[in-house]
Amino acid sequence: WTAGQIPSERLVAPLVVLDLNAAAAAAPDGSPQLSVAQISLDDIAAWETQHGIIPQGAVVAIRRIGASSALSTTQFPISRDAAMFLIEARYTIGFAVETPVNLSLDRTLARQLSLHGDYVVEGAARFTSLPATGSLVVVATEKVAPEKNKKAGEPPVRILAMVR
Protein backbone atom coordinates (compact mmCIF):
# COMPACT_ATOMS: atom_id res chain seq x y z
CA TRP A 1 0.00 0.00 0.00
CA THR A 2 0.97 3.57 -0.49
CA ALA A 3 -0.08 5.90 2.31
CA GLY A 4 -3.27 6.91 0.51
CA GLN A 5 -4.33 3.29 -0.05
CA ILE A 6 -4.31 2.15 3.58
CA PRO A 7 -7.94 1.49 4.58
CA SER A 8 -9.17 4.04 7.12
CA GLU A 9 -9.98 1.37 9.73
CA ARG A 10 -6.28 0.50 9.82
CA LEU A 11 -5.12 4.05 10.50
CA VAL A 12 -6.15 4.28 14.17
CA ALA A 13 -4.94 1.53 16.49
CA PRO A 14 -3.46 0.75 19.89
CA LEU A 15 0.28 1.44 19.94
CA VAL A 16 2.87 -0.72 21.65
CA VAL A 17 6.55 0.13 21.78
CA LEU A 18 9.10 -2.67 21.76
CA ASP A 19 12.47 -1.48 22.93
CA LEU A 20 15.49 -2.70 21.00
CA ASN A 21 17.61 -1.17 23.78
CA ALA A 22 16.23 -3.74 26.24
CA ALA A 23 16.94 -6.58 23.80
CA ALA A 24 20.51 -5.40 23.38
CA ALA A 25 21.08 -5.02 27.11
CA ALA A 26 20.36 -8.64 27.99
CA ALA A 27 23.42 -10.74 27.18
CA PRO A 28 23.73 -14.19 28.80
CA ASP A 29 26.77 -13.08 30.82
CA GLY A 30 25.07 -9.85 31.92
CA SER A 31 27.24 -7.60 29.76
CA PRO A 32 25.70 -5.21 27.22
CA GLN A 33 25.19 -6.82 23.84
CA LEU A 34 25.23 -3.89 21.41
CA SER A 35 25.44 -6.08 18.32
CA VAL A 36 21.80 -7.20 18.72
CA ALA A 37 20.03 -5.67 15.77
CA GLN A 38 16.67 -7.41 15.88
CA ILE A 39 13.94 -8.11 18.40
CA SER A 40 13.44 -11.85 18.88
CA LEU A 41 10.55 -14.05 20.00
CA ASP A 42 12.19 -14.19 23.45
CA ASP A 43 12.18 -10.39 23.60
CA ILE A 44 8.45 -10.34 22.80
CA ALA A 45 7.80 -12.98 25.48
CA ALA A 46 9.72 -10.89 28.02
CA TRP A 47 7.81 -7.74 26.96
CA GLU A 48 4.45 -9.52 27.34
CA THR A 49 5.45 -10.87 30.76
CA GLN A 50 6.11 -7.33 31.92
CA HIS A 51 3.35 -5.39 30.09
CA GLY A 52 0.65 -7.94 29.16
CA ILE A 53 -0.32 -9.44 25.84
CA ILE A 54 0.06 -7.18 22.80
CA PRO A 55 -3.49 -6.15 21.87
CA GLN A 56 -5.02 -7.37 18.65
CA GLY A 57 -4.94 -4.85 15.84
CA ALA A 58 -2.01 -2.92 17.31
CA VAL A 59 0.72 -1.02 15.51
CA VAL A 60 4.12 -2.04 16.86
CA ALA A 61 6.68 0.73 17.15
CA ILE A 62 10.29 -0.36 17.52
CA ARG A 63 12.55 1.90 19.52
CA ARG A 64 16.17 1.57 18.35
CA ILE A 65 19.47 1.96 20.15
CA GLY A 66 20.38 5.64 19.99
CA ALA A 67 23.58 6.29 18.09
CA SER A 68 25.07 2.83 17.80
CA SER A 69 26.91 2.49 14.52
CA ALA A 70 26.87 -1.30 14.93
CA LEU A 71 23.27 -1.41 13.77
CA SER A 72 22.28 -1.54 10.15
CA THR A 73 19.83 1.21 9.30
CA THR A 74 18.35 -0.88 6.51
CA GLN A 75 17.73 -4.16 8.36
CA PHE A 76 14.17 -4.64 9.67
CA PRO A 77 14.68 -4.36 13.45
CA ILE A 78 12.59 -7.43 14.26
CA SER A 79 13.38 -11.00 13.29
CA ARG A 80 11.18 -12.76 10.74
CA ASP A 81 9.92 -15.26 13.35
CA ALA A 82 9.05 -12.49 15.79
CA ALA A 83 7.32 -10.42 13.10
CA MET A 84 5.31 -13.43 11.93
CA PHE A 85 4.27 -14.17 15.52
CA LEU A 86 2.99 -10.62 15.88
CA ILE A 87 1.19 -10.75 12.54
CA GLU A 88 -0.39 -14.20 12.96
CA ALA A 89 -0.88 -14.57 16.72
CA ARG A 90 -1.44 -10.95 17.76
CA TYR A 91 -3.02 -9.73 14.50
CA THR A 92 -0.91 -6.59 14.38
CA ILE A 93 -1.72 -4.28 11.49
CA GLY A 94 1.52 -2.37 11.09
CA PHE A 95 5.01 -1.56 12.23
CA ALA A 96 6.66 1.81 12.79
CA VAL A 97 10.44 2.14 12.85
CA GLU A 98 12.67 5.15 13.40
CA THR A 99 15.12 4.41 10.62
CA PRO A 100 14.76 3.53 6.94
CA VAL A 101 14.40 -0.19 6.23
CA ASN A 102 15.02 -2.24 3.13
CA LEU A 103 12.50 -5.07 3.09
CA SER A 104 14.09 -6.51 -0.05
CA LEU A 105 16.79 -7.90 2.29
CA ASP A 106 14.15 -10.41 3.46
CA ARG A 107 11.74 -11.01 0.60
CA THR A 108 9.89 -13.75 2.51
CA LEU A 109 9.03 -11.33 5.31
CA ALA A 110 8.11 -8.61 2.82
CA ARG A 111 5.74 -11.01 1.09
CA GLN A 112 4.14 -12.07 4.37
CA LEU A 113 3.66 -8.46 5.44
CA SER A 114 1.96 -7.79 2.13
CA LEU A 115 -0.23 -10.91 2.22
CA HIS A 116 -1.47 -10.06 5.72
CA GLY A 117 -2.06 -6.40 4.87
CA ASP A 118 0.47 -5.10 7.37
CA TYR A 119 2.24 -1.85 6.59
CA VAL A 120 5.62 -0.48 7.65
CA VAL A 121 6.06 3.21 8.39
CA GLU A 122 9.76 3.99 8.32
CA GLY A 123 11.67 7.09 9.32
CA ALA A 124 9.28 7.91 12.16
CA ALA A 125 10.29 10.42 14.83
CA ARG A 126 12.02 9.05 17.91
CA PHE A 127 9.84 7.00 20.25
CA THR A 128 11.88 7.90 23.35
CA SER A 129 9.05 9.64 25.20
CA LEU A 130 6.37 7.02 24.49
CA PRO A 131 5.41 4.46 27.12
CA ALA A 132 5.53 0.78 26.18
CA THR A 133 1.74 0.51 26.19
CA GLY A 134 -1.39 2.56 26.65
CA SER A 135 -1.06 4.89 23.66
CA LEU A 136 -3.19 5.22 20.58
CA VAL A 137 -1.63 5.79 17.18
CA VAL A 138 -3.09 7.67 14.25
CA VAL A 139 -1.39 7.20 10.91
CA ALA A 140 -2.39 10.36 9.09
CA THR A 141 -2.13 11.17 5.43
CA GLU A 142 -0.98 14.57 4.23
CA LYS A 143 -4.60 15.82 3.99
CA VAL A 144 -5.14 15.26 7.72
CA ALA A 145 -1.72 16.31 9.06
CA PRO A 146 0.42 18.11 6.49
CA GLU A 147 4.18 17.92 6.91
CA LYS A 148 6.13 21.09 7.61
CA ASN A 149 9.14 20.16 5.50
CA LYS A 150 7.91 17.87 2.76
CA LYS A 151 10.72 16.23 0.79
CA ALA A 152 10.20 15.16 -2.80
CA GLY A 153 9.69 11.43 -3.24
CA GLU A 154 8.75 10.68 0.37
CA PRO A 155 5.28 9.31 1.13
CA PRO A 156 2.94 11.88 2.69
CA VAL A 157 2.23 10.23 6.03
CA ARG A 158 2.66 11.20 9.68
CA ILE A 159 2.34 9.21 12.86
CA LEU A 160 0.55 10.86 15.73
CA ALA A 161 0.59 9.18 19.14
CA MET A 162 -1.92 10.00 21.82
CA VAL A 163 -0.60 9.07 25.24
CA ARG A 164 -2.89 8.50 28.22
Side-chain angles (χ1 to χ4, degrees):
W1 284 324
T2 63
Q5 295 173 319
I6 299 171
S8 58
E9 64 270 10
R10 298 176 80 80
L11 296 175
V12 178
L15 176 69
V16 298
V17 180
L18 299 179
D19 196 344
L20 197 56
N21 297 339
D29 62 359
S31 64
Q33 193 177 22
L34 296 177
S35 63
V36 173
Q38 292 183 311
I39 290 173
S40 68
L41 281 170
D42 291 338
D43 298 324
I44 292 171
W47 188 96
E48 287 188 336
T49 298
Q50 184 176 2
H51 301 287
I53 293 177
I54 293 171
Q56 288 188 6
V59 170
V60 176
I62 301 168
R63 191 176 0 224
R64 296 201 64 134
I65 296 172
S68 173
S69 60
L71 294 178
S72 167
T73 59
T74 60
Q75 183 179 16
F76 197 56
I78 185 167
S79 72
R80 181 189 311 157
D81 291 344
M84 291 309 301
F85 170 79
L86 292 172
I87 292 167
E88 294 176 342
R90 299 297 181 254
Y91 304 104
T92 56
I93 62 170
F95 295 89
V97 295
E98 297 172 334
T99 58
V101 294
N102 182 353
L103 288 172
S104 67
L105 297 174
D106 187 343
R107 292 193 184 275
T108 302
L109 177 58
R111 180 168 163 66
Q112 290 302 313
L113 286 165
S114 179
L115 288 173
H116 287 86
D118 279 51
Y119 53 85
V120 176
V121 177
E122 60 181 13
R126 300 283 179 221
F127 301 122
T128 54
S129 61
L130 292 177
T133 188
S135 298
L136 187 67
V137 67
V138 178
V139 179
T141 61
E142 185 178 66
K143 292 177 185 174
V144 176
E147 293 186 57
K148 294 178 191 172
N149 300 317
K150 186 178 175 188
K151 295 179 184 173
E154 289 187 6
V157 66
R158 296 185 82 184
I159 297 179
L160 309 170
M162 294 181 273
V163 181
R164 289 186 203 179

